[in-house]
Amino acid sequence: MKAANRPAAGIDPDAALQMTTAEAAVAALIAHGIDTVYALPGVHNDHLFDALFKAQNLGAQSRMRTVHARHEQGAAYMALGAALATGRPQVYSVVPGPGLLNSAAALLTAYGMNAPVLALIGQIPQAAIGRGLGHLHEIRDQAGIISRLVDFSARIRAPQEAAPLVAAALRAMGTGRPGPAVLECAMDVWGLSAPVAAFAPPAPAPPPPLIDEDAVRDAARRLAAARRPLIVAGGGAQDAGAEVAELSRLLQAPVVAYRRGRGVLDSRDPLSVTLPLGRELWGEADVVLGVGTRMLYGLTHWGVDEELAIIRVDADPLEPERFARPAVALIGDAAPILRALLAALPEHPRPSRRAELEQRQAKMRRRLERLAPQIAFLEAIRAELPEDGIFVDEVTQIGFAARLLLPVHKPRTFLSPGYQDNLGWGFATALGAQHARPDVPVLSISGDGGFLFTSNELATAMRHRIPLTAIVFSDGAFGNVRRTQEEQFGNRLIASDLANPDFVRYAESFGAAAERARDAQELRAALKRAFKRRDVPTVIEVPVGPMPSPWEFIFMRPVRGAR
Ligand SMILES: Cc1ncc(C[n+]2csc(CCOP(=O)(O)OP(=O)(O)O)c2C)c(N)n1
Ligand SMILES: [Mg+2]
């Protein structure tokens, strides 16, 4: 029996057992292969935590771990990081009202990133929901609020509903466009006890959507005839790295990636390009193949015209037509569709574009030398972070530069928040990634602004012995905002200077290892030490000055269409 389909140890799958709703929900999660709940408890969820207590003592194969955080956003970001690093669904649980809202930025980010995160949210007593009596943590229309944040949500109203709703939520999270889901449960319902089928077998996965063979042939014909094909890879291509690489080789098509698509094609391949060179190539392309990407930059910044045929591969049937109807839309998971496309493409060798792309990469690289201070730090990071180590990006100067310049070698090793670009997501998300992937080093980078959003979770890293390495680039400012005020608002500086703690002493006060690195060389040495520590987190403070702006390489003028 596969690990994911196993009933909890000692449970006869066919017997009905007296169980609480909470116990049934936990047994169902375990049966679906979930092994961790990131959580912050409270009275609404007491029965759930009691069920989690009992589940931590089950046999090694069916044990559930509970990892408690110090703020609900920390718990939710940790689940998000674990989901992104593993590609598997992850769970968090918090109290209703303020607990839900505290976790909402992470839930929003999970939605934007199509990340399979299941939230178990408490509720006031079932009979009081909707009456506005002022129960603890009551919030008006919690179910309505949730339903605007995620695509699948439901309330568990009885013990017998727990396992089927867990199964339905997990299935919805992995069907079509993946994404988060929420299950609510009233505080008195978690504790209700009834005979429950001990183990609801996971609902069979719906058959994958049939691949539209006509559309595949059409796409293959267009790509085969293209003179300057280009591939744009997004987050939806992360599990199709081999297929994208093969298509790129066959077509000699460069692959553009920015935030979520980094690592799909190894940066060492000269056909692997980031945003600024991607824009040049977009201007020359006759056929663009978008794989698991909204293609926002191409479609809305760089421009489209009649000469450009667009082919979209997307798990979400609504996505390809959002901006404009593409020449061809292929709906479903990227890997099987690209395999069908590869099978339909005639094998006719094209002249190599390797030398051309090497030369153009070198030229672009010379332009990007403007970002020299950032590049020096990124070189130190790449030199020490192993190929399969995970880099967690932030909304900070080094992060912006990393999206353009950090070589990324493997899928799921560059975690970036996508279009939410929400400051402060990084540290707690990285903590979840490191918890779920103890086998590889995870590196979080933050500015001094973003770090203090969730740095309280250093206490969680200590409590659960998570050996994350975190760099804090400290410029005493919301540097990105300050630069805008300097350059565009007559140096009228407001709300952008920061009073900081001593980050080394701050981290040490939690029991973490900490040091200060004054330049790229010192950072490299500090990283070498940090990645060897596998028992405590490490914080490295890097004091920095203002850095050159990356924005000319990100928000760029159109290269085609109505300019
Ligand atoms: C949730 C959220 N709030 C506010 C912002 C706006 N914002 C973008 S960058 C930035 C400043 C970042 O400061 P810091 O983390 O110190 O990085 P630095 O630019 O100094 O390197 C702010 C406030 C945002 N992107 N997300
Ligand atoms: Mg800063």
Side-chain angles (χ1 to χ4, degrees):
M1 199 180 260
K2 285 217 320 267
N5 295 350
R6 196 174 23 238
I11 293 180
D12 171 1
D14 299 322
L17 292 181
Q18 189 75 19
M19 277 204 235
T20 64
T21 306
E23 287 165 353
V26 171
L29 290 172
I30 293 170
H32 284 86
I34 303 287
D35 61 10
T36 306
V37 175
Y38 300 95
L40 204 152
V43 66
H44 297 77
N45 292 338
D46 280 350
H47 284 285
L48 175 61
F49 281 77
D50 193 45
L52 290 169
F53 175 87
K54 292 170 188 159
Q56 53 182 9
N57 297 321
L58 297 173
Q61 291 306 307
S62 49
R63 178 185 302 147
M64 180 70 90
R65 296 176 299 178
T66 299
V67 176
H68 58 306
R70 300 300 291 269
H71 185 287
E72 283 90 357
Q73 71 168 343
Y77 278 129
M78 285 182 79
L80 174 60
L84 296 171
T86 61
R88 293 196 308 269
Q90 303 288 339
V91 177
Y92 81 88
S93 179
V94 298
V95 295
L100 166 67
L101 295 187
N102 280 342
S103 77
L107 202 54
L108 171 69
T109 310
Y111 184 79
M113 301 181 78
N114 315 308
V117 171
L118 173 61
L120 302 178
I121 311 283
Q123 249 293 15
I124 64 170
Q126 179 70 34
I129 294 173
R131 296 189 63 197
L133 299 175
H135 277 272
L136 176 69
H137 301 344
E138 182 167 3
I139 182 169
R140 194 165 55 160
D141 193 15
Q142 175 164 285
I145 293 168
I146 289 168
S147 72
R148 308 310 294 260
L149 293 174
V150 296
D151 288 335
F152 180 95
S153 57
R155 186 177 303 143
I156 304 171
R157 291 163 198 275
Q160 299 84 344
E161 289 185 11
L165 282 177
V166 165
L170 289 167
R171 190 176 51 225
M173 288 158 64
T175 307
R177 181 192 279 278
V182 178
L183 293 175
E184 285 182 295
C185 186
M187 57 194 296
D188 48 335
V189 174
W190 277 135
L192 283 183
S193 190
V196 173
F199 166 70
L210 287 179
I211 297 177
D212 179 342
E213 294 299 336
D214 288 344
V216 167
R217 271 192 296 277
D218 188 6
R221 187 181 50 74
R222 289 171 185 271
L223 285 166
R227 279 166 295 109
R228 309 285 284 180
L230 179 68
I231 298 172
V232 182
Q238 284 292 343
D239 294 326
E243 290 81 2
V244 169
E246 181 57 12
L247 258 181
S248 165
R249 187 193 64 77
L250 205 68
L251 298 168
Q252 286 299 294
V255 177
V256 191
Y258 176 39
R259 294 180 293 218
R260 307 276 335 281
R262 301 294 317 283
V264 171
L265 184 62
D266 191 326
S267 301
R268 284 170 294 211
D269 187 326
L271 270 64
S272 172
V273 308
T274 65
L275 219 48
L277 186 51
R279 167 180 169 269
E280 280 183 17
L281 295 161
W282 179 278
E284 303 159 9
D286 51 356
V287 179
V288 168
L289 171 67
V291 184
T293 169
R294 294 182 174 86
M295 254 179 3
L296 182 81
Y297 281 76
L299 297 176
T300 68
H301 295 202
W302 305 340
V304 289
D305 56 36
E306 308 268 275
E307 311 298 307
L308 180 63
I310 292 176
I311 302 170
R312 305 276 304 257
V313 176
D314 210 284
D316 179 354
L318 301 177
E319 177 60 37
E321 308 210 354
R322 280 216 167 95
F323 178 80
R325 181 184 285 262
V328 187
L330 291 160
I331 305 303
D333 285 345
I337 290 179
L338 296 189
R339 282 195 292 271
L341 204 50
L342 280 162
L345 272 174
E347 170 85 47
H348 72 92
R350 290 176 175 245
S352 169
R353 292 188 70 183
R354 211 184 155 85
E356 175 210 337
L357 264 301
E358 267 167 4
Q359 197 203 342
R360 294 176 73 170
Q361 297 263 24
K363 192 166 162 215
M364 181 57 72
R365 173 66 197 225
R366 284 194 291 279
R367 277 188 54 205
L368 284 159
E369 291 293 336
R370 265 184 56 87
L371 308 180
Q374 291 97 312
I375 289 173
F377 290 124
L378 291 174
E379 283 174 350
I381 288 170
R382 190 67 277 176
E384 291 305 323
L385 184 67
E387 271 182 34
D388 54 0
I390 297 173
F391 178 93
V392 183
D393 181 26
E394 247 289 352
V395 192
T396 179
Q397 304 314 305
I398 302 297
F400 300 143
R403 299 166 188 185
L404 308 174
L405 280 151
L406 181 75
V408 185
H409 304 309
K410 295 190 168 168
R412 293 196 185 282
T413 61
F414 186 89
L415 308 186
S416 184
Y419 70 88
Q420 284 304 332
D421 236 349
N422 48 332
L423 187 61
W425 92 304
F427 180 72
T429 301
L431 205 53
Q434 182 71 86
H435 182 263
R437 289 292 311 274
D439 53 317
V440 294
V442 177
L443 176 67
S444 155
I445 58 124
S446 301
D448 43 359
F451 183 62
L452 283 191
F453 275 51
T454 61
S455 61
N456 57 325
E457 302 300 348
L458 271 168
T460 305
M462 290 305 299
R463 171 65 185 77
H464 297 280
R465 295 279 147 188
I466 307 172
L468 175 67
T469 300
I471 310 175
V472 186
F473 292 97
S474 174
D475 64 350
F478 288 133
N480 205 56
V481 176
R482 183 179 61 189
R483 193 178 47 226
T484 303
Q485 292 170 351
E486 286 165 357
E487 291 176 358
Q488 296 170 38
F489 292 86
N491 203 30
R492 292 185 295 280
L493 303 182
I494 178 166
S496 58
D497 63 317
L498 300 175
N500 279 327
D502 175 327
F503 286 106
V504 173
R505 283 168 53 211
Y506 172 75
E508 282 172 348
S509 74
F510 287 86
E515 59 180 298
R516 193 165 283 111
R518 285 181 182 73
D519 55 29
Q521 225 178 346
E522 286 188 15
L523 175 61
R524 187 170 170 184
L527 284 173
K528 196 187 282 298
R529 285 186 283 275
F531 291 149
K532 288 201 188 104
R533 266 174 222 126
R534 299 317 286 155
D535 54 343
V536 286
T538 302
V539 173
I540 305 168
E541 178 181 1
V542 184
V544 292
M547 296 202 193
S549 169
W551 296 110
E552 66 178 282
F553 302 109
I554 296 170
F555 294 119
M556 296 172 287
R557 280 201 293 276
V559 276
R560 63 193 307 161
R563 293 181 208 198

